[in-house]
Amino acid sequence: MSTDTFQPEVLVIDDEVQIRRLLRVTLEGAGFRVREAEGGGPGLAEAATKRPDAIILDLGLPDLPGIEVLKRLREWSRLPVLILSVRGQEADKIEALDAGADDYLSKPFGGGELLARLRAMLRRVQSPEEESNARFGDVEVDFARRVVTKAGAVVKLTPKEYALLRLLLLHRGKVITHRQILRELWGPKAEEQTQYLRVYMTHLRQKLEDEPNQPEYFRTESGIGYRFSGE
Amino acid sequence: MRMRHRPLRLMPDRRPDPDALLASIRRSEAKATRGRLKVFFGMAPGVGKTYAMLQAARKAHAEGMDVVVALVETHGREETQLLLEGLPVVPRKLIAYRGTQLGELDLEAVLARRPRLAVVDELAHTNAPGSRHLKRWQDVEELLAAGIDVFTTLNVQHLESRADTVRQITGVAVRETVPDSMLEAAAGIQLVDLTPEQLRERLAEGKVYLGDRAAVAADNFFKESNLTALRELALRLTAERVDKQLREIREDRQISAIWRSGERLLVAVGASPFSTRLIRWTRRMAYALDAPWLAVCVETPVPLTPEERKLLDENLTLARELNAEIVVVPDRDVAGTLVRVAQQHNVSQIVIGKSRGHPVLDFLRGGSLADRLIRRSGQIDVYVVPAEPRTGRSRWREWSLSAASRPREYVTALLTVLGVTLVGLAMQGLTGYTAISLFYLTSVILLGLFVGQGPILLAATLSALAWNFLFIPPIITFRIDKFEDGLMFGIFFVTALVTGRLTGRLRAQERDQRQREQRATALYQLTRAIAAARSVDEVLRNAAAQVQELFGARLAIFTEDPAQPGRLRLHPAATYVADEKEQGVAAWSFRNHKNAGRFTDTLPAAEGFYLPLLAGENCMGAMGVKPPAEATLPVNQRELLESFATQIALALDRERLRATEEAARLSRESEKLHRTLLDGVSHELKTPLAVIASAAENLADGPLVAEIRTATQRLQRLVNNLLDMTRLESGTLRLRRDWCDPADLINAAREMTADALRSRTVRMDLPAGLPLVRADAGLIQQALANLIHNACVHTPPTALITLAAGTDEAAGQLWFAVADNGPGLRPEQLDRLFDKFYRGDPDRAGGLGLGLSIARGFAEAHGGRVAAGNQPGGGARFTIFLPLEQPASVPPE
């Protein structure tokens, strides 16, 4: 992505002035334009009037819970939203992701990680069309023919394993919650059955990862879900 | 004998009856906790029941069962005595009674000894006065309730429902009876049978009674005809029982081909000794049909004498003991009421006694009770059971006795007649003698409003005589010359009698009505008071006042002591102080969920009557009622007291629930407050740290920047540890458990400690196919990270750190281990490693000594544990154990 020709605008909604300043410094340094809002109400107003390209939203806002801001936003907009929260708020993060947030970041965060997430998010918005094949490491996936090869050899996947792989590849770089995967693959009644997922993920890693116990691509987002990482 | 004036109805539908199913479940539940009763059953004394019982007991003893002989009567029979040898015997309790010592079953001793099986002879025995229970079968009942199995013996004549039949057969009245329910609840019945000839032989040989008694017995009770009849009775009873058991098994196994007959019986109960027989008859039939039954008493306005009232109460009590539902309805129309009650309760058969009513009166009423009942019964069967030859007094005498009034009322009647006579004498000149009769009549009617029936009769008779003697010519004689005077006299006499009796009856009716109303009002008021009462104290004070007003009795309420469950304490609202003995009775009632004390068969010597406060399955305490010394307790009053007890129990239960709810609410609120505070502090500490850390990340690398980063990380670790510790200590830790992959947990912990591990060699030792574990991922990762950090701090930078996981199938555990090849642990450290603020190296700078303690806290919150030790090859090893659960299987594709 080139930052010379296109300067995306990011709206930061956070009540902590220090965090806002920190984000502004980091983002402007990377070529983003930044708007700030110190509460949920003003943030929503900004989002509606100024139409930014992405939003960074803190979950702990004093006037309106972050989750509420997100829900109201999602009533009319599909703008990419990155959630900021602290360690130990897994339940809130899951709720936000299920309510339509695109990704999350835990405080304290490194500048590099923040920018990588933000760029991945923007890229997904700009090129949402599906690819006909995908490649990571020595694995190739041909979506059209439903064929998966590793180091040239065909890997046999069960229909559910293939569906899981396809779902993760479709949302490359984005975290997907357990519930989202379970609903997609097993239907709404299986939303709590995380053990299904663990079992299938183990199979997938054993078939596709070089070191299944220390996976490189099929990453676990502890207590939240999975993320396919790898370009 | 019986009239069955309608063909059998079709079988009811064959749907499994939910009530029957429930009863069946209850039966099997009750069987599980209660002791099992085995009855050695025979037709008469001397058939060898005790002998058979002791043989069975010896066999159980030989098989290693804990058997004690609680009480056995050998009657001096040697062969029985021999069987007792070698069995442990609980000594009898000696009770002094009228100068002799009576040896009774020592219930306390047997309960304290708690054997598996107790042998108790002669179930029908009546205990000596001063024992806890009136009857031995009640002792046995308590043993069974305590979970002790019992062997016992019983003769057919002692069975409540058969006592009457036996009396008719043998002419001997049976006083010691055992309720049929006892035999029904028995797990096993063994019939000990002998032919009548054999038994008479044994009697002749002196094996049953010693000496002269044998000869006397042979001529009376042991007549061959008697024995044959008794034997048939015993055999039939056992057969019926087998039949019933078969039916129960069918219900248990849910073979729904045959369901209960759907019959329901009703017996009309009155104040007659004959009713007792009728009740037993109905009960036998109900048992044979496996049908529920009602005992209905229609209270007509005719007042009852105290003796009749007592008899009626006894009859109703008997019916209740035989498991009948009691219904008492006040109404004039006996036949109509019986039919109405029968229809309301879906009764299929009505049992009444053959009326011995007067032929003329019956004609006037439109037939005898049986006739009227049959005419109106419609679809209901009517059984008319004949009465025994009349032995009692005539109805007239009963009535005239019932009219017994206080002497003062007779004096009033006398004086009234005298007064009217004087007035009459003065007025005679003005009115003529005929009109004087009207004065008399008026006075008799007026009297009826104030005095009982006896005085009214007296007044009516005296008035008639005085009128005749003093006013009807010729005066000063009882002669009447003129025909119309005679007619007048006759009419006067009859009118006076009838009006007098009518007003008297009205008064009695009114009095009864008032009493009933008073009770209904009392119950209503209590219920309302309970609903409105702001506190239990208020409820209890109200109840005490009502009991005082209605029964003239004092009330004591015992509630379960919250500090010592199972023990009672007297509530301050009590209006009498129960001494230790009375409290013992209350405690018995509370423990056994049964009435006890005065008016009952359990500890009847007590001053008070004690009822358990039952709210559903929960017993909240006991209620004691202490009536005046001479008072009696009829069935209806007892029921009223039971209703009181239920109301009070419900109020207590509600209060208990409210208290629990309040405690839970307080704890929730305090937890919420705690959480808010913790979250606030957490936010305030973490936000600036996050800003520093994030800012430092963005600074260009340099020696000072690295220092800032290290210091920030240390501070973050400290803050996290302190917050984790606070969460653990405050008990506000809530696990968010989910199925986790052990490898994921280790990888996450490794990432969390990435900085510390940066320059280290780490080895992973994870076998394939580790099972999933249900855990809070965040907490277990933190615990593992703490162990890893601990290993990094306490080993030289060159040391190898191994992260491993595995399962212990036998213990059902998954373990995680963090091991190193560093210096290892010193023995004195081992015990205290996981203690709060314990630091292995006090000389080394930094660290609060919280990390390991937190790891232990998190592991224990999962029902797991931590362990530390040295490895065989050197170096320390810290392990976290978590319990394994079987996840629900994954559906196949």
Side-chain angles (χ1 to χ4, degrees):
Chain A
M1 169 175 309
S2 155
T3 51
D4 303 331
T5 53
F6 173 62
Q7 280 203 321
E9 188 173 56
V10 179
L11 171 63
V12 175
I13 308 178
D14 196 319
D15 58 318
E16 292 285 343
V17 63
Q18 280 192 302
I19 298 277
R20 286 206 306 273
R21 259 186 242 140
L22 183 74
L23 284 169
R24 176 179 281 278
V25 170
T26 311
L27 291 172
E28 283 180 348
F32 289 92
R33 285 176 292 140
V34 177
R35 286 191 175 277
E36 290 177 29
E38 55 174 23
L44 279 171
E46 282 286 287
T49 52
K50 300 296 189 299
R51 298 291 173 124
D53 296 293
I55 296 176
I56 296 177
L57 174 66
D58 187 80
L59 279 185
L61 294 175
D63 62 334
L64 201 61
I67 185 77
E68 194 55 43
V69 177
L70 182 65
K71 282 178 181 163
R72 290 194 194 175
L73 188 71
R74 277 291 172 256
E75 284 169 13
W76 54 269
S77 164
R78 295 198 45 77
L79 271 177
V81 176
L82 178 73
I83 295 296
L84 274 188
S85 69
V86 290
R87 185 188 72 112
Q89 289 185 338
E90 268 68 26
D92 297 344
K93 287 178 206 163
I94 293 173
E95 198 185 351
L97 289 168
D98 283 339
D102 293 81
D103 213 333
Y104 76 92
L105 200 59
S106 289
K107 291 186 232 177
F109 48 85
E113 203 182 351
L114 169 72
L115 293 174
R117 294 277 164 88
L118 205 54
R119 285 181 181 134
M121 237 166 56
L122 286 168
R123 191 172 54 239
R124 280 198 299 276
V125 175
Q126 282 158 11
S127 56
E129 64 275 6
E130 295 182 17
E131 299 160 35
S132 66
N133 61 13
R135 183 192 294 264
F136 55 93
D138 54 359
V139 177
E140 273 191 62
V141 184
D142 185 336
F143 290 120
R145 291 168 50 226
R146 287 182 152 247
V147 173
V148 182
T149 59
K150 179 169 168 65
V154 174
V155 181
K156 291 201 85 164
L157 294 182
T158 68
K160 282 268 191 292
E161 285 166 5
Y162 179 78
L164 179 57
L165 174 65
R166 192 168 166 278
L167 186 68
L168 287 167
L169 284 175
L170 215 61
H171 299 93
R172 261 173 189 249
K174 181 188 171 185
V175 64
I176 311 181
T177 64
H178 295 142
R179 183 181 307 213
Q180 286 166 345
I181 305 178
L182 284 164
R183 192 164 38 199
E184 182 84 19
L185 266 66
W186 279 275
K189 279 186 187 157
E191 277 179 12
E192 306 297 321
Q193 311 295 332
T194 41
Q195 78 273 20
Y196 297 180
L197 261 187
R198 301 290 181 198
V199 170
Y200 276 92
M201 188 53 80
T202 310
H203 293 168
L204 214 51
R205 283 172 178 164
Q206 272 160 359
K207 288 178 179 175
L208 300 178
E209 290 272 7
D210 292 336
E211 274 208 60
N213 274 336
Q214 293 175 62
E216 189 184 347
Y217 303 107
F218 300 97
R219 311 277 291 178
T220 300
E221 293 287 325
S222 180
I224 292 173
Y226 292 100
R227 181 199 302 273
F228 183 89
S229 75
E231 298 307 311
Chain B
M1 277 292 288
R2 310 164 193 175
M3 287 192 279
R4 209 172 167 125
H5 77 127
R6 188 173 63 75
L8 261 176
R9 282 172 307 161
L10 289 172
M11 282 290 292
D13 60 350
R14 304 192 170 180
R15 216 162 11 90
D17 176 358
D19 284 342
L21 281 179
L22 213 65
S24 161
I25 291 166
R26 289 227 181 88
R27 244 189 334 260
S28 48
E29 272 176 2
K31 274 179 198 157
T33 49
R34 270 175 70 89
R36 293 160 66 86
L37 177 70
K38 181 163 185 182
V39 179
F40 292 80
F41 190 59
M43 61 175 169
V47 293
K49 296 177 303 293
T50 306
Y51 189 82
M53 173 173 74
L54 283 176
Q55 272 183 327
R58 286 190 79 86
K59 186 154 169 280
H61 187 62
E63 283 166 2
M65 194 188 248
D66 182 16
V67 180
V68 302
V69 174
L71 189 133
V72 162
E73 302 284 357
T74 60
H75 296 292
R77 294 169 204 161
E78 242 172 63
E79 38 191 11
T80 315
Q81 189 69 46
L82 273 175
L83 277 178
L84 269 176
E85 271 170 32
L87 287 176
V89 177
V90 177
R92 295 184 183 206
K93 186 178 183 179
L94 293 177
I95 294 175
Y97 180 64
R98 293 197 184 155
T100 55
Q101 293 267 321
L102 296 173
E104 291 290 354
L105 173 68
D106 194 343
L107 186 58
E108 291 292 341
V110 180
L111 283 173
R113 166 81 173 65
R114 283 204 75 83
R116 248 327 284 293
L117 173 70
V119 177
V120 183
D121 210 359
E122 290 185 10
L123 188 61
H125 175 79
T126 301
N127 287 333
S131 305
R132 179 186 290 182
H133 297 294
L134 223 53
K135 301 281 191 176
R136 183 169 293 157
W137 64 263
Q138 294 171 311
D139 295 342
V140 168
E141 184 66 43
E142 203 167 337
L143 288 177
L144 292 171
I148 299 171
D149 292 355
V150 176
F151 280 3
T152 191
T153 60
L154 181 69
N155 285 325
V156 69
Q157 80 237 35
H158 293 304
L159 208 56
E160 179 83 60
S161 64
R162 306 297 146 120
D164 230 56
T165 318
V166 171
R167 185 175 55 76
Q168 285 176 337
I169 294 169
T170 63
V172 179
V174 182
R175 291 212 175 70
E176 305 191 318
T177 57
V178 172
D180 292 52
S181 56
M182 208 61 198
L183 197 67
E184 276 156 36
I189 295 180
Q190 184 171 334
L191 182 69
V192 182
D193 191 32
L194 272 186
T195 61
E197 300 86 62
Q198 284 172 321
L199 180 56
R200 284 178 61 84
E201 267 169 41
R202 279 172 58 94
L203 190 69
E205 287 165 15
K207 284 181 176 168
V208 178
Y209 292 122
L210 301 171
D212 295 343
R213 284 184 67 199
V216 177
D219 292 340
N220 294 311
F221 193 79
F222 286 81
K223 273 193 294 201
E224 193 149 348
S225 60
N226 280 357
L227 290 179
T228 309
L230 286 172
R231 185 167 179 231
E232 194 197 324
L233 208 59
L235 288 172
R236 212 167 55 199
L237 201 105
T238 317
E240 262 176 30
R241 151 106 192 164
V242 170
D243 186 52
K244 194 177 154 88
Q245 259 173 347
L246 213 66
R247 238 176 309 167
E248 282 183 6
I249 289 168
R250 277 213 191 103
E251 278 173 32
D252 280 346
R253 305 225 174 113
Q254 318 228 337
I255 304 171
S256 61
I258 301 172
W259 283 98
R260 279 181 9 176
S261 57
E263 298 286 340
R264 190 182 279 252
L265 274 56
L266 180 155
V267 60
V269 177
S272 130
F274 172 57
S275 277
T276 317
R277 223 170 73 102
L278 216 55
I279 289 167
R280 293 203 170 116
W281 193 93
T282 313
R283 141 89 209 176
R284 269 205 301 280
M285 198 156 102
Y287 180 72
L289 286 172
D290 195 12
W293 60 295
L294 279 79
V296 179
C297 170
V298 182
E299 282 190 339
T300 54
V302 181
L304 297 173
T305 63
E307 295 90 69
E308 281 176 326
R309 167 85 29 219
K310 188 160 169 272
L311 203 56
L312 180 63
D313 277 331
E314 277 170 11
N315 286 339
L316 289 176
T317 311
L318 174 70
R320 219 151 93 114
E321 276 170 10
L322 293 174
N323 279 333
E325 188 185 331
I326 308 289
V327 180
V328 180
V329 204
D331 207 312
R332 297 186 65 87
D333 176 11
V334 179
T337 308
L338 286 178
V339 171
R340 200 182 66 228
V341 172
Q343 283 164 347
Q344 279 166 356
H345 289 81
N346 282 328
V347 164
S348 57
Q349 304 179 8
I350 297 179
V351 180
I352 55 163
K354 198 170 204 169
S355 162
R356 294 162 308 186
H358 198 276
V360 177
L361 275 177
D362 277 352
F363 175 76
L364 288 174
R365 283 187 190 132
S368 69
L369 176 60
D371 294 337
R372 280 176 289 150
L373 202 56
I374 289 167
R375 240 195 338 268
R376 297 163 74 165
S377 60
Q379 290 285 297
I380 304 168
D381 291 353
V382 177
Y383 286 86
V384 184
V385 180
E388 291 183 326
R390 168 177 296 221
T391 52
R393 337 160 248 144
S394 74
R395 187 78 194 134
W396 172 256
R397 272 195 54 218
E398 282 166 28
W399 179 78
S400 58
L401 272 181
S402 78
S405 302
R406 281 168 301 180
R408 204 162 52 83
E409 296 189 354
Y410 286 99
V411 175
T412 311
L414 217 67
L415 290 176
T416 309
V417 176
L418 191 68
V420 173
T421 307
L422 291 175
V423 173
L425 285 172
M427 305 273 286
Q428 195 181 12
L430 286 172
T431 60
Y433 71 89
T434 351
I436 302 299
S437 71
L438 291 177
F439 290 160
Y440 278 120
L441 206 56
T442 312
S443 72
V444 168
I445 292 171
L446 285 176
L447 256 180
L449 297 176
F450 305 103
V451 301
Q453 295 198 347
I456 289 290
L457 272 178
L458 180 74
T461 316
L462 282 180
S463 303
L465 292 177
W467 185 46
N468 182 357
F469 192 71
L470 295 173
F471 298 100
I472 301 178
I475 54 169
I476 321 295
T477 68
F478 286 115
R479 232 178 62 229
I480 299 173
D481 286 345
K482 280 195 276 181
F483 171 72
E484 58 260 47
D485 284 349
L487 195 69
M488 279 282 285
F489 177 74
I491 290 172
F492 170 77
F493 192 56
V494 168
T495 314
L497 271 183
V498 169
T499 40
R501 189 170 165 186
L502 273 181
T503 42
R505 190 189 278 189
L506 257 162
R507 234 165 56 89
Q509 209 172 348
E510 184 201 21
R511 198 183 52 217
D512 272 11
Q513 197 70 42
R514 209 169 38 230
Q515 268 180 5
R516 266 195 289 272
E517 212 175 85
Q518 214 176 12
R519 298 211 171 98
T521 314
L523 196 59
Y524 167 71
Q525 278 177 349
L526 185 71
T527 317
R528 211 178 48 174
I530 285 173
R534 278 181 300 277
S535 70
V536 169
D537 284 6
E538 210 176 304
V539 170
L540 296 184
R541 271 178 234 292
N542 208 302
Q546 296 278 0
V547 166
Q548 175 76 53
E549 189 180 323
L550 275 171
F551 302 103
R554 295 182 180 281
L555 185 78
I557 300 285
F558 303 86
T559 51
E560 190 172 5
D561 194 338
Q564 295 168 283
R567 297 191 56 92
L568 292 181
R569 78 184 167 172
L570 188 63
H571 193 277
T575 48
Y576 75 91
V577 180
D579 60 18
E580 208 164 297
K581 211 169 131 195
E582 297 288 303
Q583 289 195 8
V585 187
W588 189 91
S589 165
F590 167 67
R591 272 201 309 275
N592 293 278
H593 295 197
K594 281 183 190 152
N595 296 348
R598 201 167 148 196
F599 311 122
T600 71
D601 293 347
T602 302
L603 301 162
E607 288 177 3
F609 172 53
Y610 293 86
L611 306 98
L613 295 175
L614 288 169
E617 294 290 298
N618 288 339
C619 192
M620 312 301 302
M623 174 172 109
V625 180
K626 192 167 154 188
E630 74 285 358
T632 59
L633 188 71
V635 169
N636 53 357
Q637 295 196 4
R638 187 181 292 228
E639 278 176 353
L640 184 63
L641 281 176
E642 279 169 5
S643 307
F644 264 44
T646 307
Q647 293 293 338
I648 291 170
L650 287 175
L652 286 171
D653 198 33
R654 214 173 45 190
E655 176 68 17
R656 184 182 60 84
L657 287 176
R658 199 161 56 190
T660 319
E661 173 61 29
E662 179 69 15
R665 196 181 59 80
L666 272 178
S667 136
R668 270 201 309 275
E669 295 219 325
S670 113
E671 195 185 308
K672 197 171 148 198
L673 192 69
H674 210 104
R675 204 172 274 274
T676 313
L677 198 67
L678 203 60
D679 284 352
V681 172
S682 166
H683 183 256
E684 285 308 302
L685 283 172
K686 281 179 178 175
T687 304
L689 270 173
V691 173
I692 298 173
S694 304
E697 290 277 333
N698 295 342
L699 287 178
D701 280 344
L704 287 178
V705 173
E707 283 309 309
I708 294 178
R709 282 182 196 154
T710 315
T712 315
Q713 275 161 14
R714 187 170 153 191
L715 205 53
Q716 277 173 333
R717 213 166 38 241
L718 181 74
V719 167
N720 283 340
N721 275 347
L722 279 172
L723 289 172
D724 284 345
M725 202 67 224
T726 315
R727 278 203 291 168
L728 268 174
E729 299 263 291
S730 68
T732 57
L733 190 67
R734 286 277 169 274
L735 296 190
R736 286 186 55 244
R737 285 183 159 193
D738 203 350
W739 293 104
C740 300
D741 184 340
D744 281 350
L745 296 176
I746 290 193
N747 286 328
R750 222 180 134 174
E751 273 166 34
M752 286 164 78
T753 49
D755 286 320
L757 291 174
R758 187 156 292 150
S759 55
R760 297 281 186 154
T761 322
V762 179
R763 200 166 66 86
M764 297 277 276
D765 186 4
L766 298 175
L770 280 175
L772 300 182
V773 62
R774 225 169 85 76
D776 185 319
L779 299 189
I780 296 301
Q781 285 160 15
Q782 186 63 54
L784 284 170
N786 285 4
L787 294 188
I788 295 172
H789 194 261
N790 184 62
C792 293
V793 170
H794 293 280
T795 53
T798 51
L800 171 74
I801 291 178
T802 308
L803 306 179
T807 52
D808 179 349
E809 296 290 343
Q813 284 176 328
L814 176 88
W815 54 263
F816 295 100
V818 177
D820 62 63
N821 59 357
L825 300 165
R826 295 189 301 279
E828 77 269 14
Q829 289 181 310
L830 288 175
D831 287 345
R832 302 192 48 206
L833 268 179
F834 293 101
D835 287 355
K836 217 173 8 169
F837 301 118
Y838 176 76
R839 295 175 58 210
D841 263 330
D843 305 332
R844 196 179 51 80
L848 272 179
L850 283 176
L852 292 182
S853 170
I854 289 167
R856 181 178 70 174
F858 285 172
E860 284 173 357
H862 283 78
R865 64 189 176 88
V866 286
N870 286 321
Q871 303 195 92
R877 180 184 175 91
F878 290 81
T879 319
I880 293 179
F881 296 92
L882 294 179
L884 274 179
E885 287 172 52
Q886 187 63 43
S889 60
V890 178
E893 288 181 38

